[in-house]
Amino acid sequence: MLLNSKEVGLFDLIYIIYSSKVVKKKLLVDSSYKDEENLCRRWIIFVSIGAQKVLHALSVPMAMFGSAIEMGLNILSTNGNFFNLVLNFIRGKVVIPERGSASFKSVIANLEWRVRLDPSIKHGDPRYNAALSIMASKISYENQPFIQNVLTHNWKVRSLGFGSRSRSWLWRSGLSSSPGLGPCLGVDWGWGLNSGSGLDYQNKATTQAFIMRDKGEDHDTIVVAFRGTKPFDADAWSSDIDISWYEIKGVGKIHGGFMKALGLQKSKGFPKEVGFEKNKPFAYYEIRNKVKKLLEENDKAKLIVTGHSLGGALAAVFTAILSYHDEKWLLQRLEGVYTFGQPRVGDQTFCQFMEDKLVEHDIHYFRFVYGYDLVPRLPYDDDSLMFKHFGTCVYSNMHYLAKVVDEEPNKNYFSPVKVIPMMVNALGELVRSFTLPLWKGNEYKEGSLMRFMRIVGLLIPGIPAHCPQDYVNATRLITSPPHFLLPPKDKSQ
């Protein structure tokens, strides 16, 4: 049951509330069945399509507003602070940052400013893969030159040049010494999905990821990091709220928005192979083929897939499609999947399929949830939506005390009895933003924008908790013995 929001008019949208025949006229729903008797589910369809229509209408104003916000934040940071900005304005020496440059930061980077890997967490430390994954997930939100600069100057990776293909960009880098990473070979790769012509369901570029190689004397790891939802990206938000299903026989029902973002094709679904079409790359196939080539360079190299928010959902679905295609060679090289603030992606059948595949291929799947983060508690796990989580849930409270749990507390977020505890917790997080640097150092100092988000959290607990800030802290400050985070030394054993 895939929602089709593009051709739906107002009367078509209203029609679904009063009729169970959801497939009508302009294909309101691209579905394998004709009727939906459950009124609650029809309301969900109504809200989902309506919200997508609003997002489509507001995509340009949202982008313009987001662009203005980003420019304002970068002007402020480039000039030092507000008082320096005023002084430079009076002098006529205001520094205007260049959009898309290596120093131009997204809203996410302005919220969470750290780009340096924690030098105290070395390979072999149980926290290493998780700490590396959240940092890769965080910088995946940034532009190409910014990522290149981080890998070159902060992670000590030397760039060898660029190449492009259709709407993609690719760069490789050479071996060098990097504290915390050891000798590294970095590969950064991102693209925008182009679509149309009836082959897939998206019209605009939305999905982005990058690939890097962490290589040392005792390890060689390929890391695929999917980008999450940028705050003012209407297309990414549309993927998030596209509460539709795509059911694969023997696998289960999977969130339609996430499937579309990875390359779901009309009348084809997810075939194991897809022919090349100019200017129409599909994320799943592009990543899979590139990773295969990289892993073939070293028969001992391993793979990690990661992402924050929507990026975590795409990491989960990417792993699921590899399993569906029975990519045994790749799955045997898959050392772990690390997601942060990941929403639910499938039903109970899907989750059981994934649990079986994780055991079969000895894959470590860690789903990090911090505090009352709203996103991991969506879409709802109830009779109407039927979304479930799978994998090992590593839950951290506001003190960054981590433990493995079956399900994060307050799993569906909206609970009247939890309102007061959540607000008290949000107040504690605001206080902690001032006290944490005093006993952990300036590396944990929060900027003004992040503290503003903490204040917003007093009214809407769970919004600031979704920012990468707390997930970076959680992976670095795990105080319980995190031996469960260690991947198997030899998957063949």
Side-chain angles (χ1 to χ4, degrees):
M1 187 182 72
L2 294 170
L3 307 186
N4 178 9
S5 63
K6 297 173 187 174
E7 300 177 9
V8 177
L10 177 61
F11 291 107
D12 297 306
L13 194 57
I14 295 174
Y15 168 85
I16 198 172
I17 300 300
Y18 299 99
S19 175
S20 63
K21 297 185 181 300
V22 293
V23 178
K24 180 181 180 287
K25 293 188 296 185
K26 296 180 180 179
L27 292 179
L28 178 62
V29 179
D30 183 5
S31 176
S32 58
Y33 61 96
K34 303 299 182 183
D35 298 336
E36 177 53 78
E37 299 292 344
N38 189 312
L39 178 60
C40 184
R41 292 181 188 172
R42 297 207 306 273
W43 266 107
I44 292 169
I45 293 172
F46 174 87
V47 171
S48 179
I49 293 180
Q52 289 179 67
K53 297 290 284 186
V54 171
L55 284 168
H56 293 159
L58 296 178
S59 60
V60 173
M62 281 180 63
M64 293 175 64
F65 181 71
S67 178
I69 292 293
E70 280 191 344
M71 178 58 75
L73 291 172
N74 278 273
I75 289 175
L76 191 61
S77 62
T78 302
N79 286 273
N81 54 50
F82 178 76
F83 296 105
N84 284 343
L85 176 60
V86 172
L87 186 60
N88 287 346
F89 179 78
I90 295 173
R91 294 172 175 174
K93 296 182 179 180
V94 174
V95 180
I96 305 297
E98 180 182 354
R99 188 178 299 279
S101 67
S103 60
F104 195 89
K105 299 183 291 186
S106 71
V107 172
I108 299 298
N110 277 281
L111 281 168
E112 213 301 306
W113 56 272
R114 289 169 291 188
V115 293
R116 190 173 72 99
L117 297 167
D118 190 332
S120 68
I121 302 178
K122 307 285 187 180
H123 187 266
D125 187 313
R127 300 169 295 169
Y128 180 81
N129 283 349
L132 176 62
S133 293
I134 182 56
M135 292 300 290
S137 298
K138 188 178 79 72
I139 68 169
S140 69
Y141 286 92
E142 307 308 315
N143 63 57
Q144 173 193 342
F146 186 99
I147 296 175
Q148 177 188 358
N149 184 62
V150 169
L151 295 181
T152 303
H153 297 101
N154 296 97
W155 297 10
K156 306 302 181 185
V157 180
R158 181 171 58 87
S159 172
L160 295 179
F162 292 85
S164 63
R165 181 176 59 215
S166 65
R167 300 182 64 178
S168 65
W169 50 267
L170 167 67
W171 71 281
R172 287 182 174 273
S173 39
L175 287 169
S176 67
S177 177
S178 171
L181 274 180
C184 299
L185 172 63
V187 180
D188 180 24
W189 188 33
W191 65 93
L193 285 182
N194 183 32
S195 53
S197 69
L199 287 177
D200 56 9
Y201 293 88
Q202 304 285 24
N203 279 332
K204 296 182 179 180
T206 56
T207 301
Q208 180 173 306
F210 84 91
I211 301 174
M212 65 167 244
R213 191 169 203 159
D214 168 24
K215 189 173 183 180
E217 294 181 359
D218 58 345
H219 68 284
D220 185 0
T221 307
I222 309 299
V223 180
V224 178
F226 287 91
R227 188 184 72 183
T229 304
K230 300 189 81 171
F232 302 99
D233 185 346
D235 297 313
W237 279 107
S238 293
S239 294
D240 293 333
I241 64 174
D242 183 359
I243 309 297
S244 56
W245 296 105
Y246 187 85
E247 184 170 10
I248 299 177
K249 187 177 181 180
V251 177
K253 297 176 180 177
I254 310 173
H255 188 291
F258 304 150
M259 290 284 277
K260 294 172 188 177
L262 274 180
L264 181 68
Q265 300 155 66
K266 283 186 177 180
S267 305
K268 294 182 179 181
F270 255 113
K272 189 166 185 177
E273 301 295 339
V274 62
F276 174 77
E277 295 202 28
K278 187 177 181 180
N279 292 329
K280 291 182 176 64
F282 296 109
Y284 167 77
Y285 302 97
E286 293 279 322
I287 297 172
R288 183 196 64 183
N289 295 340
K290 184 61 186 178
V291 166
K292 279 184 178 180
K293 291 180 181 179
L294 291 170
L295 290 174
E296 286 170 353
E297 296 175 4
N298 181 359
D299 59 7
K300 293 184 178 180
K302 300 298 182 182
L303 172 65
I304 286 176
V305 182
T306 187
H308 168 261
S309 190
L310 168 62
L314 296 178
V317 177
F318 177 79
T319 306
I321 301 303
L322 286 179
S323 301
Y324 166 59
H325 288 161
D326 199 26
E327 295 279 1
K328 292 182 179 179
W329 184 80
L330 274 175
L331 292 169
Q332 285 297 317
R333 308 289 287 274
L334 181 56
E335 185 173 62
V337 180
Y338 296 80
T339 71
F340 306 88
Q342 171 209 317
R344 298 183 177 101
V345 299
D347 67 357
Q348 183 60 53
T349 301
F350 169 76
C351 292
Q352 188 58 57
F353 169 83
M354 288 304 298
E355 293 285 1
D356 293 342
K357 290 298 180 181
L358 295 178
V359 172
E360 177 184 346
H361 298 288
D362 201 8
I363 300 169
H364 276 45
Y365 191 108
F366 294 108
R367 183 174 61 83
F368 284 79
V369 178
Y370 167 77
Y372 288 108
D373 183 353
L374 170 63
V375 175
R377 295 166 169 89
L378 297 172
Y380 264 21
D381 176 359
D382 60 16
D383 293 337
S384 296
L385 285 174
M386 303 176 290
F387 282 91
K388 306 287 183 182
H389 272 309
F390 69 93
T392 302
C393 178
V394 182
Y395 176 76
S396 297
N397 64 13
M398 68 166 290
H399 303 293
Y400 302 118
L401 295 174
K403 60 180 179 180
V404 173
V405 296
D406 293 331
E407 184 78 61
E408 58 272 8
N410 192 26
K411 71 175 185 178
N412 284 334
Y413 186 76
F414 294 103
S415 171
V417 298
K418 291 289 186 179
V419 171
I420 299 302
M422 286 195 294
M423 288 185 171
V424 171
N425 187 83
L427 178 60
E429 290 174 337
L430 177 60
V431 173
R432 187 196 60 198
S433 71
F434 293 92
T435 60
L436 187 62
L438 299 179
W439 56 285
K440 285 297 181 180
N442 286 333
E443 191 75 6
Y444 294 89
K445 184 178 180 180
E446 295 184 2
S448 300
L449 184 60
M450 189 63 216
R451 285 175 178 165
F452 171 76
M453 291 298 296
R454 299 291 188 197
I455 295 173
V456 172
L458 297 176
L459 300 175
I460 314 176
I463 298 295
H466 186 60
C467 298
Q469 176 85 26
D470 286 315
Y471 285 100
V472 174
N473 291 349
T475 56
R476 296 184 179 191
L477 298 176
I478 292 178
T479 54
S480 302
H483 301 301
F484 56 83
L485 290 176
L486 280 172
K489 292 183 178 179
D490 185 354
K491 293 181 71 171
S492 64
Q493 294 178 353

